[in-house]
Amino acid sequence: MIRLARFGARKQPYYRIVVIEKDRARNGRSIEIVGTYNPRTNPATVDVKRDRIDYWISKGAQFSERVQKLVSKLSVPAAA
């Protein structure tokens, strides 16, 4: 699954977009970091490694709902 992992201090969230097994904890050990999301900038910044996302989608990974919305704004192909 490709989803967000929260980092940053209290009330100062910063997220990593990670590839992780679906049943692991939110900030558990991830397989690979494929991007970042910072909602505190104006506008919010999203940086992704498109080639790695495409690779993991081809291997069967699925986006979480939030990550799906973030990457769809960047025109990354969605999971089929």
Side-chain angles (χ1 to χ4, degrees), residues 8-26:
R10 187 176 64 168
K11 297 191 178 182
Q12 296 181 5
Y14 180 80
Y15 299 91
R16 290 181 183 164
I17 301 171
V18 297
V19 178
I20 191 169
E21 292 177 25
K22 187 176 178 111
D23 58 348
R24 287 206 183 263
R26 178 192 70 190

Side-chain angles (χ1 to χ4, degrees), residues 24-80:
R24 287 206 183 263
R26 178 192 70 190
N27 290 341
R29 188 179 67 197
S30 60
I31 299 171
E32 183 178 356
I33 299 170
V34 293
T36 58
Y37 167 58
N38 189 352
R40 298 186 318 126
T41 58
N42 191 7
T45 6
V46 180
D47 297 319
V48 295
K49 300 176 187 173
R50 293 173 192 257
D51 57 332
R52 296 308 293 165
I53 287 179
D54 292 339
Y55 169 78
W56 284 109
I57 292 298
S58 71
K59 294 295 182 184
Q62 296 178 346
F63 289 121
S64 67
E65 289 182 29
R66 178 55 55 191
V67 174
Q68 176 73 43
K69 290 179 183 180
L70 291 173
V71 297
S72 65
K73 293 179 183 178
L74 301 173
S75 71
V76 173

